[in-house]
Amino acid sequence: MLRKTITFLFIAALLFAGIFFAHKSFRNHGIVSHLKNKIPAFSSDNKNNAYKKIHSFPACLLDTLHSLEADTSGLVSHIARRDSTVNLQIEVPKGLPLPWIVWSLGQCADNTSYEVADCIHYPEKGTCRLSFSSSKKNNPNITLTIGRSSLFYSATGKMAILLEDFGFEANQTTIDFLSFSKPLTVSLVPIQKKSSWTAQIADEYKKEIIIALPMESQYHSMPNYRDAAIMIHYSENKIIQIINDAMRLIPNFSGFSNLYGSRLLLDTRVTSIILQKIHKHHGYFIDMKTTEHSVVPQIAHSIGLPHQKIDGSIDTDKSVDSIIEQLRHYILVARKNGSCLVTGKATQDFITALTKTMPVFEYNGIKLVYVSELVKHP
């Protein structure tokens, strides 16, 4: 009887030990299955301390990968027997800088037992290895090898470039702008020589066209546009006739903008006539920000006219390097705000700088679009 009792206790002890070590092993390596689970992606607004206290480090890590649009369905992973390190290989779409990706993933370690132990960049491979270690012995170390997929990040920022007062000239600059493969929008002044022909050529090269309406200014006499400029004292019929003449010369327009107009755009009566006429012809209006007190936003909103203010202007009289730095600045603005509308003159240095900066656009996930894609619709 005693022998049976001892045998029973011995077997029970073995079972208990087996269950204990199996449970401990699950705690060590269960993180792999946890990472592979489909956890809904969360917005950046939820990535706060309260969220991280409720959710585990691996869950936050996976959610961040989802927000970065990394494909986790085929997550490649294995456990190193030597130190039980969980090694993961992931591919993240192009369009987000690698430092930003590393920073976002590193934030998941905040207020947890984990910390970033190491980060090594391999430029020749285009990869980065990010290592996490835990202060708790039961938690395995985690190593992420981050590579690039062939896809681009979908939540890209957008930038539209508006070429001011574009005029066709038989030179290399005009050819380079018209043959530029990305979307560009050109503004044409309807009284200019060859404006109709320029509009036809620009349309054939798939460039969006807007009509730049000369308007009374506080600071410019506008001798070149005196006959076609809209003045504050003009009657409604005369204002409408000027716009009709502009549409006749450039029929393939998408919208309108002001050329000067620092005085006129302060006047509610004249601005209302102009914007209502544009709205009737299904156009939009770009406010060139010639005055900080423009009445365009209020009137456009009240009549339901799509409109947009420019975010900045590029000084295209500068050197190529200077223009590239300006473009880099607006790329950051587009990445931060989601969109950016800038203007510039069609110079050879500008198209050279724009061509050279295209890899920076792609690296930051900024897509060049037509102005019409950024216009706000009330």
Side-chain angles (χ1 to χ4, degrees):
M1 183 68 180
L2 178 61
R3 181 179 297 177
K4 290 182 178 180
T5 302
I6 293 173
T7 302
F8 174 77
L9 291 175
F10 178 73
I11 294 173
L14 287 177
L15 289 173
F16 176 78
I19 293 172
F20 174 78
F21 286 111
H23 175 68
K24 184 175 181 180
S25 176
F26 175 79
R27 290 183 62 189
N28 281 343
H29 307 313
I31 190 170
V32 178
S33 60
H34 195 174
L35 283 169
K36 289 185 177 180
N37 288 337
K38 293 291 184 180
I39 302 175
F42 61 91
S43 66
S44 57
D45 295 337
N46 290 330
K47 293 171 67 176
N48 50 40
N49 293 339
Y51 179 88
K52 291 170 185 173
K53 288 179 180 179
I54 297 172
H55 293 74
S56 66
F57 167 71
C60 176
L61 204 60
L62 185 59
D63 284 345
T64 303
L65 290 174
H66 281 166
S67 69
L68 295 172
E69 299 183 6
D71 184 8
T72 58
S73 60
L75 199 65
V76 179
S77 64
H78 70 275
I79 301 173
R81 294 182 179 180
R82 182 178 57 186
D83 56 2
S84 298
T85 297
V86 178
N87 295 297
L88 304 172
Q89 295 182 0
I90 59 171
E91 291 187 342
V92 178
K94 302 173 184 177
L96 285 177
L98 196 56
W100 178 268
I101 295 171
V102 171
W103 179 85
S104 299
L105 293 170
Q107 293 295 296
C108 287
D110 290 353
N111 301 310
T112 72
S113 66
Y114 280 90
E115 64 178 3
V116 177
D118 198 6
C119 183
I120 304 176
H121 182 215
Y122 301 96
E124 67 282 357
K125 297 180 181 179
T127 62
C128 177
R129 190 178 69 189
L130 183 61
S131 301
F132 296 92
S133 61
S134 175
S135 59
K136 293 184 178 181
K137 295 182 179 179
N138 290 337
N139 290 338
N141 296 329
I142 299 175
T143 298
L144 289 174
T145 301
I146 306 167
R148 292 288 194 182
S149 70
S150 59
L151 303 176
F152 278 90
Y153 188 62
S154 66
T156 55
K158 296 180 180 179
M159 182 187 295
I161 295 178
L162 172 59
L163 298 175
E164 300 178 70
D165 197 1
F166 186 78
F168 183 89
E169 299 291 341
N171 56 26
Q172 190 63 42
T173 300
T174 301
I175 294 172
D176 289 345
F177 271 108
L178 290 176
S179 60
F180 188 67
S181 61
K182 304 296 182 181
L184 291 174
T185 302
V186 300
S187 71
L188 302 176
V189 181
I191 65 168
Q192 285 186 334
K193 187 179 180 181
K194 306 177 186 175
S195 57
S196 296
W197 188 58
T198 302
Q200 181 180 348
I201 296 296
D203 187 53
E204 290 177 0
Y205 278 88
K206 301 186 184 305
K207 299 297 180 281
E208 186 177 52
I209 298 168
I210 67 174
I211 298 174
L213 294 173
M215 300 179 185
E216 186 174 353
S217 171
Q218 290 178 326
Y219 314 107
H220 302 88
S221 59
M222 300 184 299
N224 296 330
Y225 311 112
R226 186 171 300 165
D227 294 337
I230 301 175
M231 309 298 287
I232 288 180
H233 64 274
Y234 282 177
S235 66
E236 179 176 353
N237 288 337
K238 187 167 185 177
I239 294 171
I240 292 176
Q241 184 59 51
I242 290 174
I243 299 176
N244 285 335
D245 290 342
M247 292 189 296
R248 178 179 52 81
L249 286 171
I250 307 174
N252 50 342
F253 67 91
S254 295
F256 292 79
S257 73
N258 58 295
L259 179 64
Y260 305 116
S262 56
R263 183 179 182 187
L264 183 141
L265 294 180
L266 300 176
D267 187 272
T268 302
R269 180 190 74 89
V270 181
T271 304
S272 295
I273 294 171
I274 295 171
L275 297 187
Q276 287 173 356
K277 176 65 174 177
I278 293 172
H279 187 240
K280 182 179 179 180
H281 291 274
H282 309 289
Y284 59 80
F285 186 79
I286 301 301
D287 190 340
M288 303 297 285
K289 289 179 67 174
T290 54
T291 173
E292 292 296 327
H293 305 289
S294 169
V295 296
V296 168
Q298 300 93 313
I299 297 174
H301 184 77
S302 66
I303 65 176
L305 174 69
H307 67 285
Q308 183 75 27
K309 282 187 177 182
I310 63 170
D311 294 297
S313 181
I314 295 175
D315 187 352
T316 57
D317 291 328
K318 300 288 186 180
S319 66
V320 171
D321 289 341
S322 175
I323 297 173
I324 289 175
E325 287 304 311
Q326 294 176 68
L327 285 170
R328 285 177 176 270
H329 166 72
Y330 288 116
I331 285 172
L332 294 177
V333 173
R335 198 176 73 188
K336 179 181 179 181
N337 299 334
S339 65
C340 184
L341 170 57
V342 295
T343 64
K345 297 284 187 179
T347 65
Q348 185 60 46
D349 284 344
F350 186 21
I351 189 61
T352 300
L354 186 59
T355 303
K356 288 185 175 182
T357 314
M358 287 314 301
V360 184
F361 278 85
E362 294 181 358
Y363 181 79
N364 286 273
I366 304 302
K367 182 181 179 182
L368 276 179
V369 298
Y370 296 119
V371 168
S372 57
E373 294 186 46
L374 298 188
V375 173
K376 296 178 182 177
H377 292 257

